[in-house]
Amino acid sequence: MVGIFDSGSGGLSVFRELRKLLPEESFVYYSDNAHCPYGEKGRDYIISRARWITDFLLDKGAGIIVVACNTATAAAISTLRLEYPDVPFIGMEPAIKPAVKSTSTGVVGVLATAGTLKADKYLNTREKWADNVKIAEHIGQGFVELVEKGQTSGPEAEAIVKDSLQPILDEGADIIVLGCTHYPFLSETISKVAAELYPDRVLKIIDPAPAVARHALEVMEDKNLVSAEGFSMELHASGDDTNLRKLYKTLY
C-alpha cells in the first residue's frame, strides 16, 4: 500500500500520476486540511504534523510514503528518514533542472509557497542549476485556498492567479515551474491568464508530479513493494473531507 500525504488536497495531483503507473496498487491518502496551508508555518510545526501523519499511514498498512507536498518535503523529509529508517519516503523535487534546459528566453518562473522558496532544498537546487538563467520567483498567493475550495476556474480564480503570475511573466519567463502540488489543478487557469497577458508568448508549465511518480515506482520495484491485488483508495482528512472527495472524483 502506498501512503500519500499533503497539507490538503493538492497531493492528489501526485496520486493522479502514481495511479497511471500503478493501476493495481492500493493507496491511502491523508489531507491535513485542518492545518492547511503549510506555507507560512514553522519547520517544527510541520515536522510534528508529518510525524503524526506518518504514524497514521503506517497504521493503515502503508509500505512506502509519498510526501506529496513541497513545503513538507523541505521541512520534514530528512527528519522522517532519520526517525523511520525502515520506511521509504518519496518527496517532491524542485523542477529547476528541466526548466533551465527548456527556456528560450533565459527566464524561468517559479510559483511556490513561502516555505518552499526559502527552504535549503529549493535554494540548493536553484544554485546548482540556474547559473546561466534568471529565476523569477513568486508566492502563489491564494492558490492553495482556491484548490481547497474546489475553485480552479472562473473570474475569481483568474484574478488571483493573475496577481502572482503577471510579475513573473513581466520579467520574461517562458516556463513556469509549479512548486506546490496544489498548483497543477490551476494549470488551465494559469495558461488562460498567461495567454491573455502575453498572447505572442508560448508558455510551458512544468509539473514535477510525473517525475516523482516514476521515482516512486523505481523505489517500489527495487524493494518489491508493488502490489497486483487490485486498485483501492482510502481518503482521510484532519478536517472536513467534502472538497477532498469532490476533487478526487474529478480525476476520473
Side-chain angles (χ1 to χ4, degrees):
M1 176 180 281
V2 178
I4 306 170
F5 78 88
D6 179 35
S7 63
S9 303
L12 289 176
S13 66
V14 181
F15 161 74
R16 177 171 54 189
E17 301 302 325
L18 287 164
R19 176 80 168 93
K20 294 174 184 177
L21 300 179
L22 295 160
E24 298 300 316
E25 188 59 65
S26 56
F27 296 87
V28 54
Y29 184 97
Y30 193 90
S31 162
D32 198 19
N33 58 357
H35 305 92
C36 182
Y38 281 174
E40 301 291 340
K41 292 184 169 63
R43 181 172 178 270
D44 289 344
Y45 183 90
I46 295 170
I47 289 173
S48 176
R49 293 302 305 156
R51 284 193 189 105
W52 190 95
I53 296 166
T54 293
D55 289 335
F56 177 88
L57 294 175
L58 293 176
D59 286 345
K60 287 290 181 179
I64 183 171
I65 293 178
V66 179
V67 184
C69 173
N70 295 72
T71 303
T73 295
I77 200 166
S78 295
T79 299
L80 294 176
R81 285 171 173 159
L82 284 173
E83 296 182 357
Y84 301 83
D86 297 327
V87 180
F89 288 92
I90 307 296
M92 302 304 299
E93 292 291 334
I96 300 296
K97 180 180 177 181
V100 166
K101 291 185 175 183
S102 300
T103 179
S104 298
T105 63
V107 182
V108 170
V110 178
L111 285 168
T113 68
T116 295
L117 291 176
K118 66 185 180 184
D120 289 344
K121 189 176 186 69
Y122 169 75
L123 295 173
N124 292 339
T125 301
R126 185 185 67 182
E127 182 178 358
K128 181 177 181 180
W129 296 109
D131 283 345
N132 300 316
V133 303
K134 179 179 180 181
I135 304 294
E137 302 166 346
H138 207 284
I139 296 169
Q141 196 67 47
F143 286 24
V144 170
E145 290 83 354
L146 282 173
V147 175
E148 288 300 306
K149 292 189 296 183
Q151 191 174 348
T152 57
S153 62
E156 182 180 350
E158 290 170 19
I160 289 172
V161 165
K162 182 179 179 180
D163 285 344
S164 294
L165 182 63
Q166 183 161 6
I168 291 176
L169 297 181
D170 287 349
E171 292 192 53
D174 64 338
I175 292 183
I176 301 293
V177 175
L178 301 181
C180 173
T181 56
H182 283 78
Y183 296 2
F185 290 109
L186 291 163
S187 290
E188 291 185 7
T189 297
I190 291 170
S191 294
K192 181 180 180 182
V193 171
E196 291 172 353
L197 290 170
Y198 287 91
D200 296 327
R201 187 183 306 173
V202 176
L203 184 72
K204 181 178 180 181
I205 297 173
I206 297 183
D207 174 7
V212 171
R214 289 193 297 270
H215 177 52
L217 175 61
E218 291 170 0
V219 171
M220 291 177 70
E221 289 177 334
D222 181 62
K223 297 183 178 297
N224 197 30
L225 293 173
V226 178
S227 171
E229 296 181 359
F231 171 73
S232 66
M233 174 58 140
E234 292 183 33
L235 293 172
H236 301 274
S238 55
D240 187 342
D241 67 356
T242 303
N243 287 327
L244 171 68
R245 294 184 180 279
K246 284 182 180 178
L247 187 60
Y248 174 73
K249 288 180 180 178
T250 69
L251 301 180
Y252 302 101

